[in-house]
Structures are given as structure tokens and as C-alpha cells.
Amino acid sequence: MTNVGICTTDDADKVIDNIINAYGGEVASLSRTKEFLEAALRSEEICCLICLEGIQKTDAIWSCDCCFESLHMSCVQKWGRDSISYQKDAAIDRFGPSADIDAKSFKWSCPKCRTEYSYSLIPERYYCFCKKAVNPCYDPWLVPHSCSEICRKELKPKCGHRCLLPCHPGPCPPCPKTVNAICHCEKSSPKTLRCSSKTWSCGKPCGKTLNCGQHPCQQPCHEGPCSPCEKRSVQRCQCRKKTMERPCYTPNWQCEMPCGKAYSCGSHDCEIVCHEGPCGLCPLSLTRSCPCGKSSYLLPCTKSIPNCGSTCGKQLSCGSHYCAERCHRGPCGTCLQMSVKECRCGNKRKELPCYKEFTCESKCKRLRDCRRHPCNRKCCNKDCPPCEQVCGRVLGCGNHKCAGRCHEGRCYPCHEKVVLTCACGASRITVPCGREKNVKPPKCGKQCQVPSDCHHPERRRHLCHFGKCPPCKRECGLNYPDCDHICVTPCHDNVLVKVDSDTGKKRSGPWEKLKEPSIEIRKLPCPPCDVPVPVTCLGGHETKNWPCHNSKPSSCYRPCGQVLLCSNHICSRPCHKVEDGRNLKEMSCGHRCFNTCHSGSCTSSKDCKKKKKITCLCKRIKREVMCCQDQSVNEKLKCDEQCIEKMSAKEKEKHNCETDDKIKRNRLEQEEYEKFQKKFNPKKKSRQQRSDETPETNDSKLISKFLFPISLVGIFVGITFYFVFNEKGFWD
């Protein structure tokens, strides 16, 4: 993996601010686009839904045009080809290997939103978000996978304007252009508004004529057509028999009763449901046909049409035979002709009446579209229904099972989200299901709220964290029982102590094993009081500071000098000298302080004269500088031309490796395709089969070769015998 610069929080804010400033509209309308920008710049937990691996800022990606989800380029390519391959295999199983099936006619879909794409849209090259640059280079001061050019995509809804943001992830924001817009009712003067929100209402009554054609619209200025008239009135139906109070906008209505008016014949009444206008002529006075439809008659409406007496000839319900009865009224009967019927699966035949359907009891053993479960339908016509069982396979997240219909190929990624929180629950992030084990919990800026486990009422302030809190470093503060001082050592209520339970115990033999020492947390007593206390020696010669726990008067071992009782001599008892130590300290740069032991803080690192090493960005150029020099020397050490050539050589080597991998992958796919073709092509006949067919074939060839000459010889011999016997008068 190529090392790339780390974009800090401040740097990410600067990049986002530069992009937002180029928008020119209200920042609130950029909320969704800003989410994608922050995810691309700050979050290091963006993952591919197909492989559930993290997407690095230098990885080649593909983004969906609908949900804008980013996925690894290689993962999308494999996903699309596998989807189309599964569909093609299912079509071959259904229509046979001889069917002309074009893989380019199938479609693949986005793993997240399932938007369908054609075969030609399987990505082959890595583009930036605005689709202008190929293989965009990573720049820590730009949004990853972008080209820094103006987006220029058409805004939605289409208004004729284009996006003015630099190349960015996610959807384009609403149009920020300003236009002069008229209200919905077009009664008020135009206003200058944003193009994305150019429709507005002036609040005045609409005033447009409603669909009833009588009343004006009283609603405030609104978008779209006016609502139906809400007023009601008493209206007559079309036949004028009934009246009813109905909405004003439905003046024409039917009462659902027959008209009942008498035709001009005077014998029949109109049976048409409530209608307007004249009823017309009596239908029975027009030209009528016999029941079979072969003869036509023009008779008075009071006479019925007779049967013509010819064969009915109408097609029966079976669809294969025709009615053999004479012209009759009413429906034709069922077809009683016997016919040999084949069952739906084509395995059995049986003679049955034509109107009956023949199905056998054989169960279909073909696999359904899921390629896992058999059909098991009786007498199946080879058009097996789709599998109705639940898939139930474990998804890539490892936490859930596929709840969709049983299918072929890989399951769609898990769409569940997992919320990760800090220890106190104040900070939280949402990650795809299955990534919660590999993603670090969010950082929390709040103070830890775990109560103290020592005698202090509160812990030292520290940030929220997982696991145990750090040990208390405050002064103990407890009073010593034997003096008036307090313990100033760090808190020792919870100290890790090595406990050896078998201390001093001897093994009884080589087979016996002693217990290993364990680590326990124990509360230790306060150490002896070390507060310096002035103590005068027993002889009163000098006064020195001694630790409080050892502050008993003692001999100083100097010559006592006291006059003895004899008053002629003095005491010569010796005393003891106490030594004191000194500490070493470090400066802020990490080097040892070179001054003599002193009180207070050490000198600044600017006075340090020791050396340290600095490098360029690629770590090829190294240099030693004085620690006291300005820290900006780090920034002045830049990569030279050799560094750039070295980095370009690495990129070229990486590109060559990718090209070789692509060639190998294409070769493997070609080999698999040839194996697949060999598997389903019909095999040639074996040598044994050809030898079994040889005698029969040779006989047929000999017969076809000599049949014609033999027939000619027979005809010639017959004619010769006829003339010979005729000359001798044999026939007389």
C-alpha cells in the first residue's frame, strides 16, 4: 500500500469550506452533499459493501449514479460479470444449449439500491466523480477520487443550469441561480428567487373557473389544477326519472335503471340503462341471424328467428373440434371425441375425451432457478416456477441470514446498520453490519464519568475510554496515625502485587509442581512518613532534618565534648554523616538537561545543542540538524528529482503488474469458456459405434450400385423370349 498524507481535522475543514464557498447558495441546502464530503475526507471507516473491506483514499472506486455508494472497482466488475453469468446459465438450462442467448441482453444491479445497469455499463476504467478524469491522482488537499475541476453535471430537477461545485461525491445540491419567478395564479408581480425554489404562492384567492363552469376557485394561490367544486345542487339523471343532491362538478349522472321508454314499434320497451337522447329503432326489427349465424332474416319484431336446420359448426371449448349438432339455441355441449393426448411433461400418452386434460404422476427433477432445490411438481411442462423457499444463507456480515427468495449466486450485502458508541454513549457512528469488529469506536471529547475506586471522592479528569481507568496518581492525603503529617505518596489503594503462595515451600519430588505467582490488586498501607523533621543529637551538638518515621534523637558520632563528671576530661564519642542524592531531568525536546542540579523547570529546548535527524516526505533524503534550530527546517527539506523519478517508477511498476494480472485473468476466462463449450457440445461417435454400423452400410451401398444394371438385364431377357415364342406360333 502506498503511503499517503494524513488529512487532519483542520485540513478537512479547509477543503470543505473551499467547496462550500464555491456553491454560492444557502449552506442548509448542501446538507446531504456535505455528509458525503465529510465521509470522504475524515472517516477512515468507509467500506465496500461487496467485500466489506475498507476503501483507501488511493483505491480505484466506482460510484452508483442513483444512491452514490462507492465500491471497489474490482469488486463491482466481478459483481456485474457474475450476475450476468448466472442469468445466462439459467437461460441455457431453460431453453437448451442450442438457443441463441446473448449475454449483453442481461442486466446487473447496484448491490445497495439495486438500480439496474446494462452489460456495457460494467466499469472498465477508474473515473473521478464528475466522469472527466481517468485515474485521478490522490492529493491530500483535494477530495479523494476527485479531479478538482468544476462538476458541470445537469442539476435535478432539470432547469437548464449545471453544478458549480468542484468535482465532489454524492448528489449535486439544488440550483443556486437566481431567477424572476411568477406566482402560481400569475396575479402578483414576479419575485427574484433561487432557481431550485422558484415556485411560490402569493396567498391571494386563485379565481380560476372550476370544472363545473359556474363557480370561481376560492383557494389561496396554489400549484397545479384546481380542486373540484365543493358546492352541491339538486340534479336530474340523464333519463329525467330521478333527482338527487350531488356535487356541482358532476351534472351528468345515471340512475342505473333501464330507460323503459316504448320503441316506435309499440311492442317493446328500451332496455338501455339511463341515457340521453332518443332510444332509436327496436333492435328486433333489424336484420337478425339464426343461432348458428349462417342465415339472416328480416322479420317483424314480434316474430322470433327460426333455426336454419344446418350444422352448427361453432368451435368447441377444446379449440380443436367443431359442434356437429344442428342449429340450436344456447351454448354448445362439451367435446366428446376421443383423442390421444400427451401429458404436459411429454413422458406419457393416453386416449381420453377431448375435453379432459391429461396429467401424469411423474415428479419433475429439474432444478429451479435457485439451482439448489428440485421442482417436484407433478407432470411439469419444463417451465418450472421460481423457487418460493427462503434463501436462509448467512450474509457476508456474518450476523444475519438472507431473507429473500432462494436465488442463484451471491446474496446481496446486508443493509442493516450498526451503531458504535464510546464508553459513555455520547459519541456514536453508524457502520455497515459486519464491520463493527474491525472499526475502532468513535473518539469522545467528554470526561470519564466512572466513579472513583479509591478513598478520593473524584478521579483526575481524563477523557472517556474503554476498559479500566488509569490508576490514581493523586497524593494519598491520609493522616499518619503516629504523627500529624499526611501521606504524600501516590494513591496506593489499588496496586498490582505479585503474590507467591508457595514462597518458602520445597517440592517433595520432581513430579510436584509449585504454583506460579499470581497478580492481584491490593490496598497497600501507607509507607513510612518521610517528612523531614529537625532532630537534635543526644549531645546537643547539632540539629539536622531526619525522616519523621526515624525522628528519634540519636548520637551524631562527633566528639561529644561534654565535660565528664570528673570535670577534668571531655567525651570523645564519634558521630554519623548523612548523604543526600540528586536527580537527573529531561528537557522538552527529550535530551538530558546539561545544567547543574537546580530548582524549578529546565531550560527551553532552544538552548539544546544536540543533533537530530530529519527526512523528506519519501524518506530518501536525510539530514542532521541542531535541536536548537527553528522547527521550520522540517518543511524546507523537500523531495528532489530523484525522489520523483523513484515514485514514478513505483507507479509504473504497479501499472505493469495490474496489466499483467488483467491479461492472465482474460486468459483464464477464455480457458474456462472453452472448457464450458466442450462440456455441452455433442460428442463424436466412437470407433466401436462406427464399426457396428459398417456391415449394414456396405450392404446398402452394394444394392444401390447393382440394382439398376440387373433390372435392365431382366427386361432385355424378357423381350427376347417374347419374340422367340411369337415367331414359333406358341401363342396361337
Side-chain angles (χ1 to χ4, degrees):
M1 185 182 299
T2 306
N3 294 327
V4 297
I6 300 175
C7 187
T8 62
T9 304
D10 295 337
D11 296 339
D13 291 337
K14 292 180 181 178
V15 175
I16 294 176
D17 291 340
N18 292 335
I19 295 176
I20 292 177
N21 293 334
Y23 176 58
E26 298 179 358
V27 179
S29 58
L30 279 168
S31 57
R32 192 176 177 202
T33 307
K34 189 175 180 181
E35 291 178 2
F36 282 90
L37 289 171
E38 291 177 349
L41 285 170
R42 295 177 179 170
S43 177
E44 298 179 357
E45 308 304 335
I46 300 177
C47 72
C48 174
L49 291 180
I50 299 177
C51 65
L52 291 181
E53 296 292 336
I55 297 179
Q56 303 298 326
K57 297 179 180 179
T58 54
D59 293 345
I61 65 168
W62 172 86
S63 298
C64 177
D65 295 336
C66 184
C67 64
F68 306 102
E69 184 70 17
S70 295
L71 306 168
H72 284 129
M73 174 72 70
S74 57
C75 294
V76 173
Q77 291 174 343
K78 189 175 186 302
W79 176 272
R81 294 191 182 102
D82 289 349
S83 299
I84 292 177
S85 177
Y86 293 141
Q87 297 179 60
K88 184 179 179 181
D89 293 343
I92 291 175
D93 292 342
R94 181 176 181 181
F95 301 107
S98 60
D100 186 12
I101 299 174
D102 187 9
K104 296 182 178 180
S105 61
F106 299 107
K107 294 183 178 181
W108 59 281
S109 57
C110 170
K112 183 177 181 181
C113 65
R114 305 195 180 185
T115 301
E116 290 187 345
Y117 293 91
S118 62
Y119 179 86
S120 60
L121 293 180
I122 295 178
E124 297 293 340
R125 306 179 72 181
Y126 167 39
Y127 288 94
C128 63
F129 293 115
C130 65
K131 311 296 183 185
K132 293 179 182 177
V134 181
N135 297 325
C137 298
Y138 172 73
D139 190 339
W141 293 103
L142 298 176
V143 178
H145 318 292
S146 68
C147 65
S148 75
E149 298 292 334
I150 301 300
C151 178
R152 298 279 181 197
K153 289 183 180 179
E154 289 188 359
L155 297 176
K156 296 181 181 179
K158 292 184 178 180
C159 61
H161 301 129
R162 295 182 178 271
C163 180
L164 301 178
L165 291 179
C167 182
H168 61 89
C172 296
C175 183
K177 296 285 186 180
T178 55
V179 294
N180 291 330
I182 304 176
C183 65
H184 301 297
C185 66
E186 300 180 356
K187 292 183 178 180
S188 300
S189 57
K191 282 186 178 181
T192 302
L193 299 172
R194 296 286 180 185
C195 183
S196 58
S197 58
K198 59 185 176 182
T199 57
W200 62 285
S201 173
C202 65
K204 298 179 182 179
C206 176
K208 295 180 181 178
T209 304
L210 298 176
N211 54 356
C212 65
Q214 299 179 4
H215 304 106
C217 179
Q218 298 297 329
Q219 294 182 353
C221 177
H222 60 85
E223 185 179 6
C226 299
S227 302
C229 183
E230 298 179 354
K231 295 185 178 181
R232 302 178 67 86
S233 60
V234 178
Q235 303 173 4
R236 285 185 177 274
C237 65
Q238 294 181 2
C239 66
R240 302 296 177 182
K241 288 184 177 180
K242 288 188 176 182
T243 59
M244 184 184 297
E245 184 180 355
R246 295 177 57 82
C248 183
Y249 66 90
T250 57
N252 297 324
W253 62 284
Q254 292 177 317
C255 63
E256 299 181 357
M257 293 181 62
C259 175
K261 296 179 182 178
Y263 286 117
S264 58
C265 65
S267 301
H268 302 96
D269 297 333
C270 178
E271 297 180 355
I272 302 175
V273 179
C274 177
H275 66 89
E276 291 180 334
C279 298
L281 298 175
C282 178
L284 299 178
S285 64
L286 303 176
T287 302
R288 290 176 286 170
S289 300
C290 65
C292 68
K294 294 181 179 179
S295 300
S296 300
Y297 301 91
L298 184 61
L299 298 176
C301 62
T302 56
K303 292 186 178 181
S304 60
I305 299 299
N307 297 338
C308 66
S310 62
T311 304
C312 176
K314 292 181 181 179
Q315 192 175 28
L316 298 176
S317 59
C318 65
S320 302
H321 303 101
Y322 299 89
C323 181
E325 298 181 6
R326 293 189 178 278
C327 180
H328 61 87
R329 301 182 188 277
C332 301
T334 57
C335 183
L336 300 177
Q337 295 190 30
M338 301 296 290
S339 61
V340 178
K341 288 196 169 186
E342 188 180 60
C343 65
R344 289 183 301 185
C345 64
N347 293 331
K348 295 183 180 180
R349 294 172 176 267
K350 189 176 181 180
E351 188 175 10
L352 292 172
C354 188
Y355 72 92
K356 289 187 177 180
E357 184 180 1
F358 175 46
T359 57
C360 66
E361 297 296 322
S362 301
K363 290 186 178 181
C364 179
K365 299 300 180 184
R366 294 167 59 90
L367 293 178
R368 299 198 179 192
D369 57 351
C370 64
R371 317 302 301 163
R372 295 171 61 191
H373 303 107
C375 177
N376 283 337
R377 189 173 66 165
K378 290 184 178 180
C379 195
C380 181
N381 58 354
K382 296 183 180 181
D383 188 12
C384 301
C387 186
E388 298 177 353
Q389 298 187 32
V390 179
C391 177
R393 287 184 288 188
V394 179
L395 298 177
C397 65
N399 300 327
H400 302 96
K401 293 184 178 180
C402 180
R405 184 177 61 84
C406 189
H407 57 88
E408 185 180 11
R410 298 172 61 182
C411 299
Y412 278 90
C414 182
H415 288 270
E416 298 291 333
K417 299 291 184 180
V418 178
V419 178
L420 297 182
T421 63
C422 62
C424 67
S427 300
R428 55 183 58 200
I429 58 174
T430 302
V431 297
C433 182
R435 288 282 296 170
E436 64 272 9
K437 297 179 181 179
N438 301 326
V439 176
K440 294 181 180 179
K443 294 181 180 180
C444 180
K446 293 191 175 183
Q447 300 297 324
C448 178
Q449 302 296 329
V450 178
S452 175
D453 57 353
C454 63
H455 64 275
H456 294 106
E458 295 181 355
R459 295 180 183 270
R460 284 203 173 186
R461 295 172 61 85
H462 61 279
L463 297 179
C464 172
H465 63 90
F466 285 93
K468 295 182 179 180
C469 292
C472 181
K473 298 296 184 181
R474 291 186 174 183
E475 293 183 356
C476 177
L478 295 177
N479 294 324
Y480 284 103
D482 300 333
C483 64
D484 297 334
H485 302 124
I486 60 174
C487 181
V488 295
T489 58
C491 181
H492 45 79
D493 285 356
N494 299 284
V495 182
L496 294 176
V497 179
K498 185 176 181 181
V499 179
D500 191 356
S501 58
D502 293 337
T503 302
K505 183 179 178 181
K506 294 183 179 180
R507 293 191 300 173
S508 59
W511 58 86
E512 184 180 3
K513 293 183 179 180
L514 298 178
K515 294 182 180 179
E516 296 182 356
S518 59
I519 305 297
E520 297 181 0
I521 298 178
R522 290 186 178 182
K523 181 179 180 180
L524 300 181
C526 294
C529 180
D530 290 333
V531 177
V533 177
V535 178
T536 305
C537 65
L538 294 176
H541 303 101
E542 63 178 12
T543 300
K544 289 187 177 181
N545 293 332
W546 284 76
C548 183
H549 71 279
N550 195 21
S551 60
K552 296 180 180 180
S554 60
S555 174
C556 65
Y557 293 98
R558 287 185 178 182
C560 179
Q562 297 290 336
V563 179
L564 298 177
L565 295 177
C566 65
S567 301
N568 297 322
H569 302 93
I570 58 176
C571 180
S572 60
R573 185 178 180 180
C575 69
H576 176 69
K577 183 179 180 181
V578 179
E579 296 180 357
D580 193 9
R582 55 177 290 182
N583 296 327
L584 299 171
K585 296 183 180 179
E586 292 183 354
M587 295 183 292
S588 59
C589 62
H591 297 124
R592 297 288 186 182
C593 180
F594 53 85
N595 294 328
T596 309
C597 182
H598 58 84
S599 60
S601 59
C602 297
T603 57
S604 174
S605 60
K606 295 181 179 180
D607 298 331
C608 181
K609 298 182 179 179
K610 294 188 178 181
K611 294 183 179 180
K612 66 176 183 180
K613 291 183 179 181
I614 60 172
T615 62
C616 65
L617 184 61
C618 67
K619 297 184 179 180
R620 191 188 69 84
I621 303 175
K622 299 178 181 179
R623 185 181 300 172
E624 287 187 352
V625 296
M626 300 295 291
C627 185
C628 60
Q629 289 184 0
D630 188 21
Q631 297 297 326
S632 60
V633 177
N634 252 340
E635 301 177 357
K636 296 179 181 178
L637 194 58
K638 297 182 179 180
C639 294
D640 57 3
E641 295 180 355
Q642 294 183 6
C643 296
I644 297 174
E645 292 177 358
K646 186 177 180 181
M647 294 174 68
S648 61
K650 287 184 179 179
E651 292 292 335
K652 185 176 181 181
E653 183 179 358
K654 180 180 177 182
H655 178 70
N656 294 336
C657 292
E658 291 178 353
T659 305
D660 295 339
D661 293 341
K662 185 175 181 181
I663 294 173
K664 292 180 181 178
R665 185 167 62 253
N666 293 337
R667 186 173 67 252
L668 292 175
E669 290 178 356
Q670 182 65 24
E671 293 176 358
E672 290 178 0
Y673 177 78
E674 293 175 358
K675 291 181 181 178
F676 181 84
Q677 291 294 333
K678 290 181 180 178
K679 181 178 180 181
F680 289 94
N681 284 337
K683 296 182 180 179
K684 296 182 179 179
K685 294 182 179 180
S686 62
R687 184 176 298 175
Q688 182 65 28
Q689 291 176 345
R690 291 198 299 271
S691 62
D692 293 341
E693 295 177 357
T694 301
E696 183 177 350
T697 306
N698 293 336
D699 293 340
S700 62
K701 288 182 179 180
L702 290 173
I703 292 172
S704 62
K705 183 177 181 180
F706 296 102
L707 179 61
F708 181 75
I710 292 173
S711 62
L712 290 177
V713 172
I715 293 171
F716 179 79
V717 172
I719 294 172
T720 304
F721 275 100
Y722 174 81
F723 284 103
V724 170
F725 286 103
N726 191 22
E727 290 177 358
K728 293 182 179 183
F730 181 80
W731 307 110
D732 297 331

